[in-house]
Every structure is written in structure tokens, then in C-alpha cells.
Amino acid sequence: MDSNEATTSESVSKKKGKTKKVKRKVKHDEAPVQEMEQAEGEETEKKSESGPCFPPTFSVSEIKNKQRRHSMFLKLKEEKRKKKKKERKALGDKAPPKEVPKTIENQRIYDETTVNPEDEEVAFDEGTDEFSAYFNRLTNPKVLITTSDRPRGRTVRFCEQLATVIPHAHVYYRRGLALKRVIPQCVSRGFTYLMVINEDRKVPNGLVLCHLPDGPTAHFKVSNVRLRKEMKRRGKDPTEHVPEVILNNFTTRLGHSIGRMFAALFPHDPQFVGRQVATFHNQRDFIFFRFHRYIFKNEKKVGIQELGPRFTLKLRSLQKGTFDSKFGEYEWVHKQIHYNWSFYVFYFIYFFSLNI
């Protein structure tokens, strides 16, 4: 028994020694493996910094999966942007000027009716047009705002909010009266503007702006109306201070007269204490209206807070004189393209019969 136990203990000790030696060998082998892993990690980091590596004949359009194709396209775009940024940084002051991005606005064909405000002819027209009394400070604006017959709640609220934006504006209900009867009453009571808000399916969709007493009259299509309660992150209700007015891109002959029409809605001297601004921005023949309050954060930064309401206008017609739907003389009318479908139907039937 003693001999057997001795042999078994010796064999166990030998096995333990072997296992220890194996472990030691493994420990010796771990060091080069770790070095290899570190080297591989450094290579992957370099690759990630430099961006994805593709063969020279690679094209993103060859990738069939739409999501992967889109992600690879974004990666390539980002890689090109970083490369250009590094090149510009290396060149410093010798770097070429940045490319101007192509937009719908700067790619438009130049409008020949664009006028220079310092032109003598334009200055003469401004001195003799219907708004000259306002710009010579002979009259003060007074606006009457009304609606079409039987207005709904949304249109009424829109009129009330417009009255808080335009100083000296009064809201009156139409009561079924024709505009030809309303205009003489407005003139006799000293109003300089008549504003009519039309609606369709309980939504405001039109605006008639008539300058009194001699015109002109503009008809606009109204869209994208958002009242104050429908706006996110809006400021408090506007105060009674007279706002400043900003007119952008009213550079053509027609735009010049429309811009003067909007300017004559507001009094001459804005009250800067209120820090309120009414903006009419003309872009691609759409007029965007916004009403803001600005806040000075420091000497360089200014914060803007929208007060509402907001809406978009599209000019439909400009008429000389006051509103007259039957015998009025129009200065400008928006022309819509009407296709002659009967011609195309005849053309299709003719060729179809030939093929038969």
C-alpha cells in the first residue's frame, strides 16, 4: 500500500509540475500576442482616422443595399470635406475662396424689371403716387379689418391678432354689406386702409388690401396661417408699442409698389422700447410675414423670439383705384398656365389609330 501511494503521489506531483510548466510557457507566449493586438489596434485606428479604404475602381452605385449605399455615400462625402478642410488649413491665406452653393434663388434668371431706388424716374413716381401723402408725413395710417360674410372662429381670431400687430387697426364685422358700400363709409371716417380677410372651409385663404381714398387695391392668396396658440416656443403677447418694419427683396417695379403699400400700414416713428419687428420677406414671389421680439444678450449676440401670427401671401392681382370687380382697371394679374387638353387627346387618338 505504501509503495502504491508513493507512486501515485509522485505521478500527481509530476503532472502538477507539467501543468505549471505549461502555464509558464503560455505566459511567455502571451507577450508577443498582446504586442500583435496592439499593433492591429493602431492600424485600425489609423484606418478609421483616414476614412474607409476602397479600391480605385470602386463606385458607391455598385452597392445594391440602399441603406448601406446611403451610409457609404455619407462617409465618402465626409471624407472629402475633411480633406478639403485640411488642405485649406495647410494653405492658410493662399487658400482659394469658398465655393458658393447653388440654390434656387441665386440660379434664377435676372429679372429685367429690377429697379434702382436712386433712379430719377423711380424717385419721380414715388413722389406722385398714391402713397406720397403718407411718406411726406401728411397722413397717419388707420386700418379697418373686416371679413367675408359669416366668418368662422379661426378667421375671427386671425383678424383680432392682426389688429394687435398693426397699430391703429379696428376690427368690424361685415354684416352682409357690399364692399362698394363699405368703402365710402371708411373714407368718411378717416380710414386709410380697408383689409378684408376671406375664408374657405373655415380657413383664411384670401386677403384684399385697399388703400383709401384713391387706391390701389391688391388681392393676395393667403396660406400657411398659424395663430399664436399653434406656435411652439412663442413669446408673450405683443405690447402696444409701434413696431419696426423690415421689407426684404422688394426690388422689382411691381415689388416696389407692393412694398410701399405694406410700409404705409404702419406709423412713421417706431417705438424702439418695445423691441418688436414686423418682417415682410419676398422670396420666389411669395411674401412671408413674421412678427418678432428681439432681446440683446450682450454687445454681439441678439436673441429673437417669435410672437405670431405667421402667414404667407401670394399676389394675385393689383388694381388701380379702389375695389371694383366689374369695371376696375388692373395694373398686374397673375397669369396661370392653362393646357389645351383637347389638342393632346386628339393627338393621342390620331397616333393610336395609325398604330392599329
Side-chain angles (χ1 to χ4, degrees):
M1 290 291 289
D2 295 333
S3 62
N4 290 334
E5 286 176 1
T7 54
T8 53
S9 62
E10 285 174 4
S11 62
V12 168
S13 63
K14 284 178 183 179
K15 285 179 180 178
K16 284 181 179 178
K18 285 179 182 179
T19 54
K20 284 179 183 177
K21 286 178 183 177
V22 170
K23 284 181 181 178
R24 284 173 188 169
K25 285 180 181 179
V26 169
K27 282 182 182 177
H28 285 300
D29 294 339
E30 278 178 359
V33 171
Q34 287 177 357
E35 290 176 1
M36 292 287 290
E37 287 178 354
Q38 287 178 359
E40 287 176 359
E42 289 175 1
E43 287 178 2
T44 52
E45 284 177 2
K46 287 179 181 178
K47 285 181 181 178
S48 62
E49 287 177 1
S50 62
C53 296
F54 301 110
T57 58
F58 174 77
S59 177
V60 179
S61 59
E62 293 175 6
I63 301 172
K64 298 296 178 69
N65 192 311
K66 187 178 179 181
Q67 292 179 346
R68 284 192 64 193
R69 185 169 65 245
H70 181 65
S71 63
M72 295 305 289
F73 173 74
L74 293 177
K75 284 180 182 178
L76 287 170
K77 198 174 181 181
E78 184 67 18
E79 187 185 354
K80 286 180 181 178
R81 190 185 68 79
K82 286 181 178 178
K83 191 177 178 182
K84 281 185 179 180
K85 194 175 181 181
K86 284 182 181 178
E87 289 176 356
R88 290 185 64 83
K89 196 174 181 181
L91 291 170
D93 296 334
K94 296 180 181 179
K98 288 185 178 180
E99 296 179 358
V100 179
K102 292 183 179 180
T103 61
I104 297 173
E105 194 63 31
N106 62 19
Q107 294 297 311
R108 291 184 73 182
I109 300 169
Y110 178 76
D111 196 343
E112 295 177 355
T113 60
T114 303
V115 295
N116 185 6
E118 298 178 357
D119 190 6
E120 294 181 359
E121 187 179 351
V122 175
F124 176 77
D125 290 343
E126 288 179 357
T128 56
D129 65 357
E130 298 88 348
F131 310 106
S132 58
Y134 164 80
F135 285 99
N136 292 328
R137 294 178 178 264
L138 299 176
T139 59
N140 292 319
K142 187 179 178 184
V143 184
L144 185 142
I145 302 174
T146 186
T147 62
S148 55
D149 293 334
R150 298 175 184 176
R152 301 290 179 168
R154 184 176 172 80
T155 307
V156 173
R157 287 194 298 273
F158 180 54
C159 293
E160 290 172 352
Q161 291 183 16
L162 276 178
T164 60
V165 173
I166 303 170
H168 312 302
H170 306 272
V171 181
Y172 289 97
Y173 296 106
R174 182 82 166 270
R175 296 177 183 175
L177 289 173
L179 286 181
K180 287 186 178 181
R181 293 181 61 186
V182 174
I183 288 170
Q185 294 180 18
C186 293
V187 173
S188 62
R189 295 181 184 183
F191 285 98
T192 59
Y193 269 102
L194 173 64
M195 185 183 293
V196 183
I197 308 294
N198 297 318
E199 70 172 7
D200 183 29
R201 298 176 185 177
K202 304 180 183 180
V203 177
N205 73 329
L207 185 146
V208 177
L209 190 61
C210 181
H211 182 259
L212 302 175
D214 301 321
T217 303
H219 178 224
F220 298 93
K221 177 189 174 184
V222 181
S223 60
N224 301 330
V225 177
R226 293 188 69 180
L227 303 178
R228 288 188 182 123
K229 284 188 177 180
E230 301 167 358
M231 297 173 62
K232 295 180 181 179
R233 300 176 183 175
R234 68 177 181 89
K236 294 181 180 179
D237 291 343
T239 57
E240 294 181 356
H241 296 92
V242 177
E244 304 167 49
V245 183
I246 297 175
L247 301 169
N248 285 335
N249 297 335
F250 291 91
T251 54
T252 61
R253 199 64 179 250
L254 177 65
H256 215 63
S257 57
I258 295 297
R260 286 170 66 83
M261 197 173 194
F262 286 134
L265 281 169
F266 297 86
H268 294 281
D269 301 316
Q271 296 173 343
F272 298 101
V273 179
R275 296 178 283 109
Q276 297 178 157
V277 183
T279 306
F280 294 90
H281 178 73
N282 180 27
Q283 187 172 0
R284 299 190 296 276
D285 299 332
F286 286 91
I287 301 168
F288 301 93
F289 176 81
R290 299 290 184 270
F291 192 56
H292 291 94
R293 179 185 289 125
Y294 57 89
I295 303 167
F296 291 103
K297 294 182 178 180
N298 52 39
E299 293 179 355
K300 294 183 178 179
K301 290 186 179 180
V302 179
I304 291 177
Q305 197 175 39
E306 190 169 359
L307 304 179
R310 63 161 67 170
F311 53 90
T312 306
L313 300 175
K314 173 81 171 176
L315 184 64
R316 291 299 182 194
S317 64
L318 182 65
Q319 183 181 354
K320 288 183 179 180
T322 56
F323 180 80
D324 189 356
S325 57
K326 287 186 178 180
F327 306 106
E329 183 182 353
Y330 288 90
E331 291 184 26
W332 184 87
V333 178
H334 175 65
K335 294 180 181 178
Q336 294 181 347
I337 300 172
H338 297 284
Y339 294 100
N340 189 359
W341 293 109
S342 59
F343 171 75
Y344 289 102
V345 170
F346 172 77
Y347 201 69
F348 175 75
I349 293 169
Y350 175 72
F351 273 94
F352 185 72
S353 60
L354 288 176
N355 292 329
I356 292 171

